[in-house]
Amino acid sequence: MRLRNIFSLALCVLTTFGAVSCQDGDWDDEVNTSRTIWNDTITERNVKTIDYIKTKFKTAISNSSYALVEEDIQLKAWITVNDLGGNISQQLVVQDETGYIIIGITEDSMHSYAKPGQVILLNLKGLYIGGYGMNGQIGYPGMSSTSQAKRIGRMDRYTWYNHVKFLPETHPLDDAAKFDKSMDMDKESNKLVYVEGSFSEADGKATLADPKLADAGNSVNRTLNIDGGGTITIRTSCYSDFGSLVMPVGKVKVVGIAVRYNTSSWQIQMRTADDLVAL
């Protein structure tokens, strides 16, 4: 083999390991389980549901703390939301028949391989489960950027690769459900929903995420007046691909994941610009 070819092959292998495809074709259009960054030696055993996991670790989740998974258990679930769009950053939302939970991973552009509908098998032993604002998350201990207190954070990507196996199967995705303020926060946080209403701050110029208004999380909260009464916060990162979008004046439809924030508040995080539609 010529030296030039050897170099090209090596570069392709390194690029693949860094979660960037070097294959021909449209990578974004289909799941590719031929990649080897994940752990293909994992076999299915002692699988538990998301409801089981959230119940077992309810204290840690409710206290916005974390606990080590010492039991040799697995989670089998399918991806519902990835990081495409940049508003949901370094996280995947997964679902099974019993509920929803976030997996935090220190990696960008996971949407290049972690597609909605893709079924995964995750070894939980050695990982941590806790609550970020009482919102269930699988990850590793992290540090708050504001209080310097420890809380549930993200696992590094190599830990993720070692604990996960992408299965050669997909699962049909649920349509977004109509948002209901009475949804069960313990069970339905991270559910894909839609809501119709109008932005309080919309004036034809104001954007979703004006950096001048950003909080400590580099995000901006906007208020949506819900048709029929009540309001809900629409939270958008200044680093998202669509934070500079001008909020439409008048009635809109917003799609996104409904995320609990501590005890009683709901927020919606959109996935991409397509999740905001003027009606």
Side-chain angles (χ1 to χ4, degrees):
M1 182 180 290
R2 297 176 62 182
L3 180 60
R4 183 176 178 181
N5 291 338
I6 293 174
F7 176 78
S8 297
L9 178 61
L11 180 61
C12 184
V13 171
L14 288 172
T15 304
T16 301
F17 191 74
V20 178
S21 171
C22 61
Q23 295 182 344
D24 293 332
D26 191 348
W27 178 265
D28 287 335
D29 284 346
E30 58 185 87
V31 172
N32 187 333
T33 55
S34 65
R35 295 180 51 162
T36 56
I37 59 171
W38 39 77
N39 189 348
D40 278 331
T41 67
I42 295 174
T43 56
E44 189 172 330
R45 66 186 188 282
N46 204 16
V47 172
K48 303 297 183 182
T49 65
I50 289 175
D51 182 65
Y52 171 92
I53 293 163
K54 291 170 78 171
T55 300
K56 183 176 179 66
F57 292 90
K58 184 174 183 177
T59 299
I61 294 172
S62 298
N63 293 336
S64 290
S65 58
Y66 56 83
L68 175 67
V69 182
E70 299 180 278
E71 186 181 359
D72 188 14
I73 57 176
Q74 296 178 327
L75 171 64
K76 186 176 182 180
W78 57 93
I79 297 166
T80 57
V81 179
N82 57 26
D83 58 0
L84 182 66
N87 197 36
I88 299 166
S89 177
Q90 298 190 342
Q91 294 178 333
L92 299 174
V93 180
V94 298
Q95 172 188 352
D96 65 9
E97 291 82 0
T98 68
Y100 318 81
I101 197 166
I102 285 174
I103 305 175
I105 306 140
T106 306
E107 182 178 4
D108 296 314
S109 300
M110 288 184 287
H111 59 271
S112 66
Y113 67 86
K115 305 295 185 181
Q118 171 67 58
V119 180
I120 64 169
L121 189 62
L122 185 66
N123 277 347
L124 292 174
K125 185 177 182 180
L127 300 180
Y128 291 78
I129 296 175
Y132 185 89
M134 300 178 70
N135 192 31
Q137 179 169 313
I138 301 168
Y140 244 67
M143 189 75 73
S144 168
S145 59
T146 53
S147 67
Q148 297 303 304
K150 280 206 165 185
R151 64 184 186 189
I152 189 67
R154 303 175 178 92
M155 70 186 88
D156 66 76
R157 60 176 177 160
Y158 303 108
T159 299
W160 162 243
Y161 299 157
N162 187 53
H163 279 257
V164 71
K165 181 178 183 178
F166 279 57
L167 301 179
E169 57 187 277
T170 58
H171 193 283
L173 295 173
D174 297 334
D175 293 332
K178 186 175 182 179
F179 172 73
D180 184 343
K181 289 182 290 186
S182 66
M183 291 191 311
D184 188 319
M185 284 192 160
D186 290 328
K187 293 183 178 296
E188 297 183 271
S189 186
N190 307 312
K191 183 177 183 178
L192 188 66
V193 301
Y194 75 89
V195 62
E196 295 179 356
S198 58
F199 284 105
S200 293
E201 303 89 349
D203 60 3
K205 296 180 181 179
T207 61
L208 283 169
D210 184 341
K212 296 190 296 293
L213 303 176
D215 57 22
N218 292 309
S219 295
V220 176
N221 292 339
R222 296 299 195 181
T223 301
L224 190 76
N225 299 308
I226 302 172
D227 286 356
T231 63
I232 188 169
T233 295
I234 308 299
R235 184 167 176 82
T236 309
S237 169
C238 296
Y239 299 124
S240 68
D241 296 345
F242 52 91
S244 60
L245 284 179
V246 174
M247 290 179 288
V249 176
K251 187 172 179 177
V252 297
K253 178 180 179 180
V254 176
V255 180
I257 57 169
V259 179
R260 73 178 304 174
Y261 184 70
N262 291 322
T263 56
S264 60
S265 298
W266 283 108
Q267 298 177 347
I268 290 182
Q269 291 178 269
M270 293 186 291
R271 302 162 298 175
T272 69
D274 293 338
D275 281 341
L276 175 59
V277 179
L279 299 177

